[in-house]
Amino acid sequence: MDLLPIVLVIAFFQTVVIRQPLPQMGEVLFGTLLIVLGLSLFIQGLEMGLFPIGEAMAQALARKGSLFWLLSFAFALGFSTTVAEPALIAVAAKAAEIAGDGGLIDSSPESLQQYAFGLRMSVAFSVGLAILIGVMRILRGWPIHYLIIGGYVLVMLMTIIAPKEIIGIAYDAGGVTTSTITVPLVAALGVGLASTIRGRSPLTDGFGLIAFASLLPMIFVMGYGLLIFK
Amino acid sequence: MEFIKEFSIILLATCRDVLPIVLLITVFQLVVLRQKIPNLPRLIVGGVYVILGLALFLAGLEKALFPLGKIMAAQLSDPVFLYGTNEAITHVDWTAYGWVYLFAAMIGFATTIAEPSLIAVAYKANEVSAGTISTWGLRITVAIGVAFGISLGTYRIVTGTPLYLYILVGYVVVIIQTIFAPKTIVALAYDSGGVTTSTVTVPLVAALGLGLASTVPGRNPALDGFGLIAFASLFPIIAVLGYAQLMEWKTKHTINANTGER
C-alpha cells in the first residue's frame, strides 16, 4: 500500500517515456518485498518500543523536576544521534571534496578530513542545541512561530554574508540531520513532555522539536563556513 | 549467500546507529532516574522489530529502488533523450525538460508516501489530535508539498537561478501563512518540513540533483547540485499550513451557510 505510488511512477516512466525494459526484474521484485516487510516490522516496533520509552522518559524526567537533567537529556539526544548519522557523514565528505576542489581550503587529505569533521560537529552541536531550545519552549510555553520566524531571519542574514559555496550544503544540512530513528523518539519526547506539564497541549506544544532541528544546522553550517573560509 | 552477507552489513550499520540512543536511555534510566525500565521485555522486542524492520527496508531499497531511481534520473537528463541529438547543446531550453519536472514531482510524491519518519509523526499526530488529523490526509498533503518542491528545485537547476531567492520567497510565504493559519497546526506543519527528508527521499533526490547538474550545460554540480533537499523541506510546511487554512475556511463556510438558512 505504501509503495504503490513508487511502483506506479517507475512503471509509467519505463513503459511510456523511456521505453526500455526494466533491468533485473527479479531483483527489483525481491527488493520491493523486503521493503514492505521491513516497513510493517518498523511500524510495529515503533508502537511497542520507541514511542513508549520516549514518552516514559519524558514524563519521568519532568516529574523529577530537575531542569538540568532534562536539558542535558535533550542535548545528548540531539547530539549523539546526529554525530553518527550516515547521511550526514556522506554529505560532509562530499562537501569537503567540493571545498577542496574550489580552493577554499587546503586540499590535502588531512585538511579535508578536518573540514568534514568540523562540519559534522557543528551540525551535531546545533541539533543538540535545537532540541534543548525546543524543550525549553515546551516548558515555558513560548509560541513557536516567533522562534521559527526569528530563525528564518537569521538564515537570511547569514546567507548574505556567508561564502557562496557553502549555501547549498548549509540549506541541505537542515534536511538530512533528522534520521528515521531520531524522529519517532524526538516526537515522543515532545508529546510526552507537553502532556505531563499542566497548561500545555500535546498538539500545539508537543510538536516543533524537529522543526528546530532542521533550522539551526543551516545557521551553524553557514557560520562554520564563515569561520573557516576566511 | 551474497544477500545474507549484504544484509548482515546493513543490519550491523543499523545497530551502530541505534547504539547511542540505547546508551543514552540506559544511562539516564539507571544513573539519573534510578528506576527500573517499565515493561522491559516488550520494549526490547519492540526495539528488535525497529532495527530488523529498518535493516530489511534499507536492504530492499538498495536492491530495488536506488539503482532504478539513479538509472532513470540519468536517462531522463540525458541530452540524447531530451533533444534527440548528441550534439553539444549551447543554450539551455528549460521547456525541453518537461519529463524531468514531472518525474521529479512524481518521485517526490511517491517516496514521501513511503517515508518511515513521516509515518511515525503522522501516527503521533493522529493519536494526539484524537483523530481529527488523519494519518493519510497528513501524509498526502506533505507528499504534494514535496512533489511541488522538488519539481521547482529541478527547474531551478535547469535555469541556474540562485537558490536563496526561492528559499527567501518560501520563507516569506510561510511567515504570512503562519499569521493566518489556525494556531493548533503551526507546530506540526513546521515539523513536517524536517521529517520528509530521510532514508528514502534523500539518496534518490540527491542523485537526481547531482545527475541533472552534471548533464545540463553550464551548471556546476558543486553550486547547483545541492539544494533539492532544502526545497523538499520547505514546501511541505506551506502545503500543511495551506491545507489547515482550507479546512478551517470550509468549516466556517458550512457553519455560515447553515445559520443563513435558518
Side-chain angles (χ1 to χ4, degrees), chain A residues 90-91 93-95 97-98 168-169 172, chain B residues 70 73-74 77 153-154 156-157 202-216 219-229:
Chain A
V91 168
K94 187 89 206 150
E97 206 179 288
I98 288 164
I169 296 157
D172 276 2
Chain B
K70 281 174 191 164
S77 53
T154 49
R156 182 196 78 83
I157 294 177
V202 169
L204 269 183
V205 165
L208 182 68
L210 289 172
L212 203 57
S214 48
T215 48
V216 177
R219 297 290 160 271
N220 172 3
L223 278 178
D224 303 303
F226 289 95
L228 278 186
I229 298 167

PDB file of all heavy atoms in Angstrom, chain A residues 90-91 93-95 97-98 168-169 172, chain B residues 70 73-74 77 153-154 156-157 202-216 219-229:
ATOM      1  N   ALA A  90      28.098  11.206   4.838  1.00  0.00           N
ATOM      2  CA  ALA A  90      28.231  11.236   3.384  1.00  0.00           C
ATOM      3  C   ALA A  90      28.226  12.666   2.859  1.00  0.00           C
ATOM      4  O   ALA A  90      29.076  13.046   2.041  1.00  0.00           O
ATOM      5  CB  ALA A  90      27.105  10.434   2.735  1.00  0.00           C
ATOM      6  N   VAL A  91      27.284  13.475   3.336  1.00  0.00           N
ATOM      7  CA  VAL A  91      27.176  14.855   2.854  1.00  0.00           C
ATOM      8  C   VAL A  91      28.419  15.659   3.239  1.00  0.00           C
ATOM      9  O   VAL A  91      28.945  16.439   2.443  1.00  0.00           O
ATOM     10  CB  VAL A  91      25.886  15.520   3.389  1.00  0.00           C
ATOM     11  CG1 VAL A  91      25.910  17.020   3.151  1.00  0.00           C
ATOM     12  CG2 VAL A  91      24.677  14.925   2.709  1.00  0.00           C
ATOM     13  N   ALA A  93      31.494  14.570   3.748  1.00  0.00           N
ATOM     14  CA  ALA A  93      32.645  14.174   2.931  1.00  0.00           C
ATOM     15  C   ALA A  93      32.558  14.812   1.553  1.00  0.00           C
ATOM     16  O   ALA A  93      33.542  15.326   1.011  1.00  0.00           O
ATOM     17  CB  ALA A  93      32.698  12.647   2.810  1.00  0.00           C
ATOM     18  N   LYS A  94      31.356  14.792   0.981  1.00  0.00           N
ATOM     19  CA  LYS A  94      31.119  15.388  -0.339  1.00  0.00           C
ATOM     20  C   LYS A  94      31.426  16.893  -0.303  1.00  0.00           C
ATOM     21  O   LYS A  94      32.056  17.436  -1.208  1.00  0.00           O
ATOM     22  CB  LYS A  94      29.653  15.144  -0.701  1.00  0.00           C
ATOM     23  CG  LYS A  94      29.261  15.537  -2.081  1.00  0.00           C
ATOM     24  CD  LYS A  94      29.465  14.397  -3.048  1.00  0.00           C
ATOM     25  CE  LYS A  94      29.684  14.977  -4.443  1.00  0.00           C
ATOM     26  NZ  LYS A  94      30.518  14.152  -5.275  1.00  0.00           N
ATOM     27  N   ALA A  95      30.972  17.540   0.757  1.00  0.00           N
ATOM     28  CA  ALA A  95      31.174  18.984   0.889  1.00  0.00           C
ATOM     29  C   ALA A  95      32.660  19.313   1.000  1.00  0.00           C
ATOM     30  O   ALA A  95      33.129  20.293   0.422  1.00  0.00           O
ATOM     31  CB  ALA A  95      30.423  19.505   2.102  1.00  0.00           C
ATOM     32  N   GLU A  97      35.135  17.595  -0.242  1.00  0.00           N
ATOM     33  CA  GLU A  97      35.703  17.379  -1.574  1.00  0.00           C
ATOM     34  C   GLU A  97      35.503  18.625  -2.433  1.00  0.00           C
ATOM     35  O   GLU A  97      36.427  19.103  -3.094  1.00  0.00           O
ATOM     36  CB  GLU A  97      34.945  16.209  -2.185  1.00  0.00           C
ATOM     37  CG  GLU A  97      35.674  15.420  -3.230  1.00  0.00           C
ATOM     38  CD  GLU A  97      34.763  14.293  -3.685  1.00  0.00           C
ATOM     39  OE1 GLU A  97      34.549  13.320  -2.921  1.00  0.00           O
ATOM     40  OE2 GLU A  97      34.230  14.426  -4.781  1.00  0.00           O
ATOM     41  N   ILE A  98      34.273  19.145  -2.412  1.00  0.00           N
ATOM     42  CA  ILE A  98      33.942  20.312  -3.227  1.00  0.00           C
ATOM     43  C   ILE A  98      34.730  21.537  -2.774  1.00  0.00           C
ATOM     44  O   ILE A  98      35.277  22.282  -3.589  1.00  0.00           O
ATOM     45  CB  ILE A  98      32.424  20.566  -3.179  1.00  0.00           C
ATOM     46  CG1 ILE A  98      31.715  19.482  -3.992  1.00  0.00           C
ATOM     47  CG2 ILE A  98      32.083  21.938  -3.704  1.00  0.00           C
ATOM     48  CD1 ILE A  98      30.256  19.397  -3.727  1.00  0.00           C
ATOM     49  N   GLY A 168      24.386  26.118  -0.522  1.00  0.00           N
ATOM     50  CA  GLY A 168      23.601  24.946  -0.922  1.00  0.00           C
ATOM     51  C   GLY A 168      23.711  23.826   0.091  1.00  0.00           C
ATOM     52  O   GLY A 168      22.717  23.212   0.477  1.00  0.00           O
ATOM     53  N   ILE A 169      24.952  23.560   0.534  1.00  0.00           N
ATOM     54  CA  ILE A 169      25.173  22.486   1.502  1.00  0.00           C
ATOM     55  C   ILE A 169      24.517  22.824   2.840  1.00  0.00           C
ATOM     56  O   ILE A 169      23.910  21.972   3.479  1.00  0.00           O
ATOM     57  CB  ILE A 169      26.686  22.254   1.685  1.00  0.00           C
ATOM     58  CG1 ILE A 169      27.284  21.773   0.364  1.00  0.00           C
ATOM     59  CG2 ILE A 169      26.960  21.263   2.777  1.00  0.00           C
ATOM     60  CD1 ILE A 169      28.750  22.036   0.240  1.00  0.00           C
ATOM     61  N   ASP A 172      20.807  22.227   2.670  1.00  0.00           N
ATOM     62  CA  ASP A 172      20.503  20.802   2.668  1.00  0.00           C
ATOM     63  C   ASP A 172      20.780  20.162   4.023  1.00  0.00           C
ATOM     64  O   ASP A 172      20.116  19.202   4.407  1.00  0.00           O
ATOM     65  CB  ASP A 172      21.321  20.085   1.592  1.00  0.00           C
ATOM     66  CG  ASP A 172      20.651  20.170   0.233  1.00  0.00           C
ATOM     67  OD1 ASP A 172      19.590  20.805   0.155  1.00  0.00           O
ATOM     68  OD2 ASP A 172      21.177  19.607  -0.728  1.00  0.00           O
TER      69      ASP A 172
ATOM     70  N   LYS B  70      18.351   5.926  -9.837  1.00  0.00           N
ATOM     71  CA  LYS B  70      19.541   6.559 -10.403  1.00  0.00           C
ATOM     72  C   LYS B  70      19.597   6.381 -11.913  1.00  0.00           C
ATOM     73  O   LYS B  70      19.893   7.320 -12.645  1.00  0.00           O
ATOM     74  CB  LYS B  70      20.800   5.981  -9.746  1.00  0.00           C
ATOM     75  CG  LYS B  70      21.010   6.607  -8.378  1.00  0.00           C
ATOM     76  CD  LYS B  70      22.141   5.983  -7.609  1.00  0.00           C
ATOM     77  CE  LYS B  70      22.110   6.476  -6.174  1.00  0.00           C
ATOM     78  NZ  LYS B  70      22.913   5.650  -5.278  1.00  0.00           N
ATOM     79  N   ALA B  73      16.988   8.711 -13.415  1.00  0.00           N
ATOM     80  CA  ALA B  73      17.398  10.115 -13.366  1.00  0.00           C
ATOM     81  C   ALA B  73      18.429  10.405 -14.450  1.00  0.00           C
ATOM     82  O   ALA B  73      18.374  11.428 -15.126  1.00  0.00           O
ATOM     83  CB  ALA B  73      17.967  10.453 -11.992  1.00  0.00           C
ATOM     84  N   ALA B  74      19.362   9.460 -14.643  1.00  0.00           N
ATOM     85  CA  ALA B  74      20.394   9.655 -15.662  1.00  0.00           C
ATOM     86  C   ALA B  74      19.777   9.633 -17.054  1.00  0.00           C
ATOM     87  O   ALA B  74      20.101  10.466 -17.900  1.00  0.00           O
ATOM     88  CB  ALA B  74      21.462   8.567 -15.534  1.00  0.00           C
ATOM     89  N   SER B  77      17.754  12.881 -17.860  1.00  0.00           N
ATOM     90  CA  SER B  77      18.502  14.127 -18.047  1.00  0.00           C
ATOM     91  C   SER B  77      19.560  13.995 -19.142  1.00  0.00           C
ATOM     92  O   SER B  77      20.373  14.882 -19.342  1.00  0.00           O
ATOM     93  CB  SER B  77      19.134  14.573 -16.724  1.00  0.00           C
ATOM     94  OG  SER B  77      19.887  13.525 -16.176  1.00  0.00           O
ATOM     95  N   GLY B 153      12.572  22.668  -7.656  1.00  0.00           N
ATOM     96  CA  GLY B 153      14.015  22.589  -7.454  1.00  0.00           C
ATOM     97  C   GLY B 153      14.751  22.159  -8.714  1.00  0.00           C
ATOM     98  O   GLY B 153      15.820  22.683  -9.020  1.00  0.00           O
ATOM     99  N   THR B 154      14.180  21.200  -9.473  1.00  0.00           N
ATOM    100  CA  THR B 154      14.831  20.792 -10.715  1.00  0.00           C
ATOM    101  C   THR B 154      14.758  21.920 -11.737  1.00  0.00           C
ATOM    102  O   THR B 154      15.697  22.140 -12.504  1.00  0.00           O
ATOM    103  CB  THR B 154      14.192  19.519 -11.312  1.00  0.00           C
ATOM    104  OG1 THR B 154      12.787  19.693 -11.352  1.00  0.00           O
ATOM    105  CG2 THR B 154      14.524  18.298 -10.514  1.00  0.00           C
ATOM    106  N   ARG B 156      14.925  25.008 -11.006  1.00  0.00           N
ATOM    107  CA  ARG B 156      15.987  25.924 -10.603  1.00  0.00           C
ATOM    108  C   ARG B 156      17.345  25.453 -11.123  1.00  0.00           C
ATOM    109  O   ARG B 156      18.151  26.251 -11.600  1.00  0.00           O
ATOM    110  CB  ARG B 156      16.053  26.031  -9.086  1.00  0.00           C
ATOM    111  CG  ARG B 156      17.108  27.009  -8.599  1.00  0.00           C
ATOM    112  CD  ARG B 156      17.431  26.822  -7.143  1.00  0.00           C
ATOM    113  NE  ARG B 156      18.295  25.686  -6.912  1.00  0.00           N
ATOM    114  CZ  ARG B 156      19.622  25.710  -7.028  1.00  0.00           C
ATOM    115  NH1 ARG B 156      20.223  26.813  -7.374  1.00  0.00           N
ATOM    116  NH2 ARG B 156      20.339  24.642  -6.819  1.00  0.00           N
ATOM    117  N   ILE B 157      17.588  24.125 -11.050  1.00  0.00           N
ATOM    118  CA  ILE B 157      18.873  23.620 -11.537  1.00  0.00           C
ATOM    119  C   ILE B 157      18.988  23.857 -13.042  1.00  0.00           C
ATOM    120  O   ILE B 157      20.027  24.283 -13.539  1.00  0.00           O
ATOM    121  CB  ILE B 157      19.035  22.123 -11.201  1.00  0.00           C
ATOM    122  CG1 ILE B 157      19.116  21.943  -9.687  1.00  0.00           C
ATOM    123  CG2 ILE B 157      20.272  21.547 -11.862  1.00  0.00           C
ATOM    124  CD1 ILE B 157      19.209  20.508  -9.231  1.00  0.00           C
ATOM    125  N   VAL B 202      16.201  11.259   0.553  1.00  0.00           N
ATOM    126  CA  VAL B 202      17.499  11.921   0.377  1.00  0.00           C
ATOM    127  C   VAL B 202      18.378  11.281  -0.706  1.00  0.00           C
ATOM    128  O   VAL B 202      18.820  11.979  -1.616  1.00  0.00           O
ATOM    129  CB  VAL B 202      18.249  12.046   1.720  1.00  0.00           C
ATOM    130  CG1 VAL B 202      19.681  12.476   1.504  1.00  0.00           C
ATOM    131  CG2 VAL B 202      17.543  13.040   2.615  1.00  0.00           C
ATOM    132  N   PRO B 203      18.624   9.954  -0.661  1.00  0.00           N
ATOM    133  CA  PRO B 203      19.531   9.400  -1.672  1.00  0.00           C
ATOM    134  C   PRO B 203      19.004   9.564  -3.098  1.00  0.00           C
ATOM    135  O   PRO B 203      19.768   9.914  -4.012  1.00  0.00           O
ATOM    136  CB  PRO B 203      19.604   7.915  -1.315  1.00  0.00           C
ATOM    137  CG  PRO B 203      19.093   7.800   0.059  1.00  0.00           C
ATOM    138  CD  PRO B 203      18.156   8.932   0.285  1.00  0.00           C
ATOM    139  N   LEU B 204      17.714   9.335  -3.288  1.00  0.00           N
ATOM    140  CA  LEU B 204      17.146   9.435  -4.630  1.00  0.00           C
ATOM    141  C   LEU B 204      17.181  10.859  -5.150  1.00  0.00           C
ATOM    142  O   LEU B 204      17.579  11.128  -6.276  1.00  0.00           O
ATOM    143  CB  LEU B 204      15.699   8.950  -4.622  1.00  0.00           C
ATOM    144  CG  LEU B 204      15.495   7.477  -4.922  1.00  0.00           C
ATOM    145  CD1 LEU B 204      14.024   7.141  -4.955  1.00  0.00           C
ATOM    146  CD2 LEU B 204      16.130   7.124  -6.254  1.00  0.00           C
ATOM    147  N   VAL B 205      16.773  11.786  -4.294  1.00  0.00           N
ATOM    148  CA  VAL B 205      16.685  13.177  -4.696  1.00  0.00           C
ATOM    149  C   VAL B 205      18.080  13.757  -4.915  1.00  0.00           C
ATOM    150  O   VAL B 205      18.311  14.508  -5.864  1.00  0.00           O
ATOM    151  CB  VAL B 205      15.902  13.967  -3.632  1.00  0.00           C
ATOM    152  CG1 VAL B 205      16.097  15.445  -3.804  1.00  0.00           C
ATOM    153  CG2 VAL B 205      14.434  13.625  -3.738  1.00  0.00           C
ATOM    154  N   ALA B 206      19.032  13.381  -4.062  1.00  0.00           N
ATOM    155  CA  ALA B 206      20.398  13.868  -4.224  1.00  0.00           C
ATOM    156  C   ALA B 206      20.975  13.366  -5.538  1.00  0.00           C
ATOM    157  O   ALA B 206      21.647  14.113  -6.258  1.00  0.00           O
ATOM    158  CB  ALA B 206      21.260  13.425  -3.050  1.00  0.00           C
ATOM    159  N   ALA B 207      20.677  12.098  -5.892  1.00  0.00           N
ATOM    160  CA  ALA B 207      21.162  11.548  -7.158  1.00  0.00           C
ATOM    161  C   ALA B 207      20.572  12.312  -8.330  1.00  0.00           C
ATOM    162  O   ALA B 207      21.274  12.638  -9.298  1.00  0.00           O
ATOM    163  CB  ALA B 207      20.816  10.067  -7.267  1.00  0.00           C
ATOM    164  N   LEU B 208      19.295  12.618  -8.238  1.00  0.00           N
ATOM    165  CA  LEU B 208      18.632  13.373  -9.304  1.00  0.00           C
ATOM    166  C   LEU B 208      19.273  14.750  -9.470  1.00  0.00           C
ATOM    167  O   LEU B 208      19.588  15.177 -10.581  1.00  0.00           O
ATOM    168  CB  LEU B 208      17.144  13.514  -8.979  1.00  0.00           C
ATOM    169  CG  LEU B 208      16.287  14.236 -10.002  1.00  0.00           C
ATOM    170  CD1 LEU B 208      16.172  13.418 -11.267  1.00  0.00           C
ATOM    171  CD2 LEU B 208      14.908  14.542  -9.451  1.00  0.00           C
ATOM    172  N   GLY B 209      19.503  15.436  -8.344  1.00  0.00           N
ATOM    173  CA  GLY B 209      20.067  16.789  -8.395  1.00  0.00           C
ATOM    174  C   GLY B 209      21.470  16.803  -8.965  1.00  0.00           C
ATOM    175  O   GLY B 209      21.773  17.575  -9.880  1.00  0.00           O
ATOM    176  N   LEU B 210      22.325  15.916  -8.457  1.00  0.00           N
ATOM    177  CA  LEU B 210      23.712  15.905  -8.919  1.00  0.00           C
ATOM    178  C   LEU B 210      23.789  15.447 -10.367  1.00  0.00           C
ATOM    179  O   LEU B 210      24.575  15.986 -11.151  1.00  0.00           O
ATOM    180  CB  LEU B 210      24.567  15.018  -8.009  1.00  0.00           C
ATOM    181  CG  LEU B 210      24.827  15.610  -6.616  1.00  0.00           C
ATOM    182  CD1 LEU B 210      25.511  14.592  -5.713  1.00  0.00           C
ATOM    183  CD2 LEU B 210      25.676  16.867  -6.712  1.00  0.00           C
ATOM    184  N   GLY B 211      22.936  14.466 -10.752  1.00  0.00           N
ATOM    185  CA  GLY B 211      22.915  13.988 -12.132  1.00  0.00           C
ATOM    186  C   GLY B 211      22.511  15.094 -13.078  1.00  0.00           C
ATOM    187  O   GLY B 211      23.141  15.321 -14.112  1.00  0.00           O
ATOM    188  N   LEU B 212      21.474  15.804 -12.706  1.00  0.00           N
ATOM    189  CA  LEU B 212      20.961  16.877 -13.547  1.00  0.00           C
ATOM    190  C   LEU B 212      21.997  17.994 -13.682  1.00  0.00           C
ATOM    191  O   LEU B 212      22.262  18.487 -14.774  1.00  0.00           O
ATOM    192  CB  LEU B 212      19.677  17.423 -12.919  1.00  0.00           C
ATOM    193  CG  LEU B 212      18.710  18.143 -13.829  1.00  0.00           C
ATOM    194  CD1 LEU B 212      18.292  17.238 -14.967  1.00  0.00           C
ATOM    195  CD2 LEU B 212      17.485  18.579 -13.044  1.00  0.00           C
ATOM    196  N   ALA B 213      22.621  18.365 -12.540  1.00  0.00           N
ATOM    197  CA  ALA B 213      23.582  19.465 -12.560  1.00  0.00           C
ATOM    198  C   ALA B 213      24.801  19.115 -13.399  1.00  0.00           C
ATOM    199  O   ALA B 213      25.443  19.989 -13.968  1.00  0.00           O
ATOM    200  CB  ALA B 213      24.000  19.833 -11.146  1.00  0.00           C
ATOM    201  N   SER B 214      25.127  17.812 -13.502  1.00  0.00           N
ATOM    202  CA  SER B 214      26.310  17.473 -14.293  1.00  0.00           C
ATOM    203  C   SER B 214      25.980  17.272 -15.772  1.00  0.00           C
ATOM    204  O   SER B 214      26.895  17.276 -16.596  1.00  0.00           O
ATOM    205  CB  SER B 214      27.029  16.249 -13.704  1.00  0.00           C
ATOM    206  OG  SER B 214      26.124  15.229 -13.445  1.00  0.00           O
ATOM    207  N   THR B 215      24.704  17.116 -16.139  1.00  0.00           N
ATOM    208  CA  THR B 215      24.388  16.959 -17.563  1.00  0.00           C
ATOM    209  C   THR B 215      23.894  18.249 -18.216  1.00  0.00           C
ATOM    210  O   THR B 215      24.069  18.446 -19.399  1.00  0.00           O
ATOM    211  CB  THR B 215      23.337  15.860 -17.810  1.00  0.00           C
ATOM    212  OG1 THR B 215      22.266  16.061 -16.901  1.00  0.00           O
ATOM    213  CG2 THR B 215      23.917  14.485 -17.651  1.00  0.00           C
ATOM    214  N   VAL B 216      23.248  19.124 -17.442  1.00  0.00           N
ATOM    215  CA  VAL B 216      22.784  20.380 -18.026  1.00  0.00           C
ATOM    216  C   VAL B 216      23.998  21.254 -18.312  1.00  0.00           C
ATOM    217  O   VAL B 216      24.807  21.473 -17.419  1.00  0.00           O
ATOM    218  CB  VAL B 216      21.820  21.109 -17.068  1.00  0.00           C
ATOM    219  CG1 VAL B 216      21.401  22.454 -17.643  1.00  0.00           C
ATOM    220  CG2 VAL B 216      20.601  20.262 -16.799  1.00  0.00           C
ATOM    221  N   ARG B 219      26.082  24.137 -15.853  1.00  0.00           N
ATOM    222  CA  ARG B 219      25.809  24.023 -14.416  1.00  0.00           C
ATOM    223  C   ARG B 219      26.985  23.359 -13.722  1.00  0.00           C
ATOM    224  O   ARG B 219      27.578  22.426 -14.255  1.00  0.00           O
ATOM    225  CB  ARG B 219      24.554  23.206 -14.140  1.00  0.00           C
ATOM    226  CG  ARG B 219      23.293  23.774 -14.675  1.00  0.00           C
ATOM    227  CD  ARG B 219      22.851  25.027 -13.961  1.00  0.00           C
ATOM    228  NE  ARG B 219      21.919  25.770 -14.794  1.00  0.00           N
ATOM    229  CZ  ARG B 219      22.283  26.689 -15.682  1.00  0.00           C
ATOM    230  NH1 ARG B 219      23.538  27.013 -15.827  1.00  0.00           N
ATOM    231  NH2 ARG B 219      21.394  27.298 -16.418  1.00  0.00           N
ATOM    232  N   ASN B 220      27.266  23.816 -12.534  1.00  0.00           N
ATOM    233  CA  ASN B 220      28.350  23.264 -11.745  1.00  0.00           C
ATOM    234  C   ASN B 220      27.742  22.419 -10.625  1.00  0.00           C
ATOM    235  O   ASN B 220      26.973  22.939  -9.823  1.00  0.00           O
ATOM    236  CB  ASN B 220      29.153  24.441 -11.172  1.00  0.00           C
ATOM    237  CG  ASN B 220      30.191  24.021 -10.188  1.00  0.00           C
ATOM    238  OD1 ASN B 220      30.380  22.820  -9.947  1.00  0.00           O
ATOM    239  ND2 ASN B 220      30.864  24.986  -9.603  1.00  0.00           N
ATOM    240  N   PRO B 221      28.065  21.105 -10.577  1.00  0.00           N
ATOM    241  CA  PRO B 221      27.445  20.244  -9.559  1.00  0.00           C
ATOM    242  C   PRO B 221      27.631  20.784  -8.143  1.00  0.00           C
ATOM    243  O   PRO B 221      26.751  20.647  -7.296  1.00  0.00           O
ATOM    244  CB  PRO B 221      28.162  18.904  -9.728  1.00  0.00           C
ATOM    245  CG  PRO B 221      28.773  18.926 -11.071  1.00  0.00           C
ATOM    246  CD  PRO B 221      28.979  20.361 -11.458  1.00  0.00           C
ATOM    247  N   ALA B 222      28.791  21.410  -7.888  1.00  0.00           N
ATOM    248  CA  ALA B 222      29.067  21.903  -6.538  1.00  0.00           C
ATOM    249  C   ALA B 222      28.100  23.006  -6.145  1.00  0.00           C
ATOM    250  O   ALA B 222      27.585  23.046  -5.028  1.00  0.00           O
ATOM    251  CB  ALA B 222      30.492  22.425  -6.452  1.00  0.00           C
ATOM    252  N   LEU B 223      27.827  23.902  -7.096  1.00  0.00           N
ATOM    253  CA  LEU B 223      26.984  25.054  -6.774  1.00  0.00           C
ATOM    254  C   LEU B 223      25.509  24.760  -6.983  1.00  0.00           C
ATOM    255  O   LEU B 223      24.663  25.208  -6.215  1.00  0.00           O
ATOM    256  CB  LEU B 223      27.374  26.249  -7.651  1.00  0.00           C
ATOM    257  CG  LEU B 223      28.571  27.045  -7.179  1.00  0.00           C
ATOM    258  CD1 LEU B 223      28.873  28.164  -8.148  1.00  0.00           C
ATOM    259  CD2 LEU B 223      28.322  27.600  -5.786  1.00  0.00           C
ATOM    260  N   ASP B 224      25.188  23.981  -8.030  1.00  0.00           N
ATOM    261  CA  ASP B 224      23.781  23.819  -8.389  1.00  0.00           C
ATOM    262  C   ASP B 224      23.202  22.472  -7.984  1.00  0.00           C
ATOM    263  O   ASP B 224      21.991  22.306  -7.949  1.00  0.00           O
ATOM    264  CB  ASP B 224      23.616  24.007  -9.902  1.00  0.00           C
ATOM    265  CG  ASP B 224      24.129  25.361 -10.359  1.00  0.00           C
ATOM    266  OD1 ASP B 224      23.637  26.358  -9.826  1.00  0.00           O
ATOM    267  OD2 ASP B 224      25.033  25.412 -11.202  1.00  0.00           O
ATOM    268  N   GLY B 225      24.068  21.494  -7.735  1.00  0.00           N
ATOM    269  CA  GLY B 225      23.582  20.147  -7.441  1.00  0.00           C
ATOM    270  C   GLY B 225      22.901  20.040  -6.100  1.00  0.00           C
ATOM    271  O   GLY B 225      21.970  19.261  -5.916  1.00  0.00           O
ATOM    272  N   PHE B 226      23.329  20.850  -5.141  1.00  0.00           N
ATOM    273  CA  PHE B 226      22.685  20.817  -3.829  1.00  0.00           C
ATOM    274  C   PHE B 226      21.436  21.685  -3.843  1.00  0.00           C
ATOM    275  O   PHE B 226      21.209  22.441  -4.784  1.00  0.00           O
ATOM    276  CB  PHE B 226      23.655  21.323  -2.761  1.00  0.00           C
ATOM    277  CG  PHE B 226      24.774  20.374  -2.484  1.00  0.00           C
ATOM    278  CD1 PHE B 226      25.991  20.495  -3.116  1.00  0.00           C
ATOM    279  CD2 PHE B 226      24.605  19.342  -1.585  1.00  0.00           C
ATOM    280  CE1 PHE B 226      27.015  19.606  -2.871  1.00  0.00           C
ATOM    281  CE2 PHE B 226      25.619  18.452  -1.331  1.00  0.00           C
ATOM    282  CZ  PHE B 226      26.832  18.584  -1.975  1.00  0.00           C
ATOM    283  N   GLY B 227      20.650  21.575  -2.825  1.00  0.00           N
ATOM    284  CA  GLY B 227      19.516  22.482  -2.708  1.00  0.00           C
ATOM    285  C   GLY B 227      18.159  21.823  -2.897  1.00  0.00           C
ATOM    286  O   GLY B 227      17.161  22.355  -2.452  1.00  0.00           O
ATOM    287  N   LEU B 228      18.122  20.636  -3.548  1.00  0.00           N
ATOM    288  CA  LEU B 228      16.823  19.971  -3.730  1.00  0.00           C
ATOM    289  C   LEU B 228      16.212  19.590  -2.389  1.00  0.00           C
ATOM    290  O   LEU B 228      15.005  19.688  -2.194  1.00  0.00           O
ATOM    291  CB  LEU B 228      16.972  18.719  -4.590  1.00  0.00           C
ATOM    292  CG  LEU B 228      16.995  18.913  -6.103  1.00  0.00           C
ATOM    293  CD1 LEU B 228      17.011  17.565  -6.790  1.00  0.00           C
ATOM    294  CD2 LEU B 228      15.781  19.694  -6.555  1.00  0.00           C
ATOM    295  N   ILE B 229      17.060  19.140  -1.465  1.00  0.00           N
ATOM    296  CA  ILE B 229      16.556  18.727  -0.157  1.00  0.00           C
ATOM    297  C   ILE B 229      15.973  19.924   0.591  1.00  0.00           C
ATOM    298  O   ILE B 229      14.965  19.819   1.286  1.00  0.00           O
ATOM    299  CB  ILE B 229      17.672  18.040   0.650  1.00  0.00           C
ATOM    300  CG1 ILE B 229      18.114  16.779  -0.087  1.00  0.00           C
ATOM    301  CG2 ILE B 229      17.212  17.683   2.046  1.00  0.00           C
ATOM    302  CD1 ILE B 229      19.388  16.176   0.421  1.00  0.00           C
TER     303      ILE B 229
END
